[in-house]
Each structure stands twice: as C-alpha cells, then as structure tokens.
Amino acid sequence: TTMVMIIRKALRPPFEIISKDITIGVEFPLFKETLESLKGAKIKSKYLEKEELAKFIKVSYELADKAETEIERLANKQCARALHILSYSGLRIGELCALGESGDIDYEESKINIIKTLNVQHGIENYILDTPKNETSIREVDITKKVVSLIKEQILDVKKFKLMLGNNLYQNDGFLFINM
C-alpha cells in the first residue's frame, strides 16, 4: 500500500518524477506467519497501558491549548478529541471520520450507529463513503457520557471554524470531524 501511494504521488504534479504507474496489475504477496514460526515466538503487545493512554490523551489536549492561533487550536483540539474517542469507543479511523453531525449518534442512549466508513485511498478530496469493512462491522457502539460530551464539543468547534472561515472557504458535507 505504501509503495502504491509513493508511486502515485511521484506521477502527479508537482513531482512528475515517473511517467508510468508500474503498480497497475501487480498483486503483492501477503506475508503470513507459519504455525511453526509462531510457536516459538514471543508475542509482542501492541497497545498502551491505561496510564500511558491517559498521559497520551492529556498531552494531546495540552498541545492543543498551546497553539498560537485559534485555527491551530481548533485543529489540534479536533485531533485530541479524535484520539480520545477512538481510544474509548473502539471505532476504526474511517468509521470515526464518516460520522455525521446528526443521525449517527444517539445522545439519549449513548450509542453510535456504525453503518458507513470514509475511504480516502485516492486522496481526501476524492473520498468515498462506503459500507463498513465486513458484515459484523455494522453495529451499535456503546459510548460513555464523556465521549458524548466530546462529540458535542466537536460539533461546537466545527461551527466556530465555519464562522471563522465563512461559507466561501468552508466545505464539510456534514461530517463531525473535518479536514482543516
């Protein structure tokens, strides 16, 4: 995937380093561990401990508060909220980015309805709203009151951002998280 992204970037202006996409039609082999190699291997944990996660989220909010401009502050707060919500909801990033300001969140029952994901394989400008990864990915996710509160804060900040930039520069399509 990374190689395809690099090749496609090299094709487009301003780079135009190469003239042909050499990845078209190429099927990259998937690496799969064998049972024998896994038997003796020590499994590495790939998660943050509770305290590490809390510190990570706290620092992300602190960095947002230190921003020099209001737009930077709003953008950094959005990132901090996204990290916070992803961490406490179990959503995938595409599912979070596909959430709308209304309709996807049940504030009364503290649930998020996951029926779509945002696919940006061809750049953020050419996004596609798609169905989730698989059938079991279509679900309702219980969320805490804190996550509900973060979502409401995000909606307010998106409105502030829109007021700051005006309707001429602001395009959102009703997403809860926006490309700043």
Side-chain angles (χ1 to χ4, degrees):
T1 303
T2 304
M3 175 61 95
V4 171
M5 288 171 36
I6 291 169
I7 296 293
R8 298 224 170 110
K9 187 137 190 142
L11 280 165
R12 293 190 300 256
F15 304 107
E16 298 176 290
I17 299 168
I18 58 174
S19 60
K20 182 180 177 188
D21 185 346
I22 59 172
T23 64
I24 293 176
V26 174
E27 289 188 32
F28 296 97
L30 299 174
F31 175 75
K32 185 176 180 184
E33 291 276 0
T34 63
L35 186 57
E36 291 78 28
S37 67
L38 289 175
K39 281 183 182 177
K42 185 176 181 181
I43 305 297
K44 299 174 188 168
S45 59
K46 296 183 179 180
Y47 58 89
L48 296 175
E49 295 293 338
K50 185 178 177 180
E51 298 79 20
E52 293 171 318
L53 178 60
K55 184 174 183 178
F56 182 62
I57 291 170
K58 180 182 178 213
V59 168
S60 67
Y61 283 111
E62 288 171 356
L63 289 173
D65 290 334
K66 293 178 183 177
E68 292 184 22
T69 68
E70 183 63 10
I71 288 180
E72 286 175 359
R73 190 191 71 72
L74 291 172
N76 293 349
K77 278 272 198 211
Q78 173 177 257
C79 290
R81 280 191 204 105
L83 289 170
H84 200 150
I85 293 168
L86 287 169
S87 300
Y88 286 85
S89 67
L91 296 180
R92 295 178 180 96
I93 187 73
E95 294 168 344
L96 178 74
C97 292
L99 291 178
E101 291 178 7
S102 62
D104 295 328
I105 299 132
D106 183 338
Y107 297 100
E108 303 295 317
E109 297 293 321
S110 296
K111 294 181 185 290
I112 297 175
N113 189 27
I114 303 299
I115 59 167
K116 60 190 175 205
T117 188
L118 190 75
N119 185 329
V120 292
Q121 283 182 343
H122 305 291
I124 192 68
E125 303 85 20
N126 301 312
Y127 72 85
I128 299 168
L129 273 179
D130 205 352
T131 57
K133 187 176 175 181
N134 53 49
E135 194 174 310
T136 58
S137 296
I138 299 169
R139 65 202 188 280
E140 273 189 344
V141 176
D142 292 324
I143 53 176
T144 64
K145 296 294 181 193
K146 176 62 179 175
V147 170
V148 170
S149 170
L150 291 170
I151 291 170
K152 289 179 178 179
E153 288 174 23
Q154 179 62 23
I155 290 169
L156 289 175
D157 275 359
V158 168
K159 289 178 182 177
K160 286 180 193 173
F161 185 74
K162 183 176 181 179
L163 287 171
M164 290 171 68
L165 291 184
N167 289 332
N168 294 339
L169 297 174
Y170 177 81
Q171 299 297 320
N172 177 15
D173 295 332
F175 292 121
L176 179 60
F177 289 88
I178 60 174
N179 186 19
M180 290 189 186

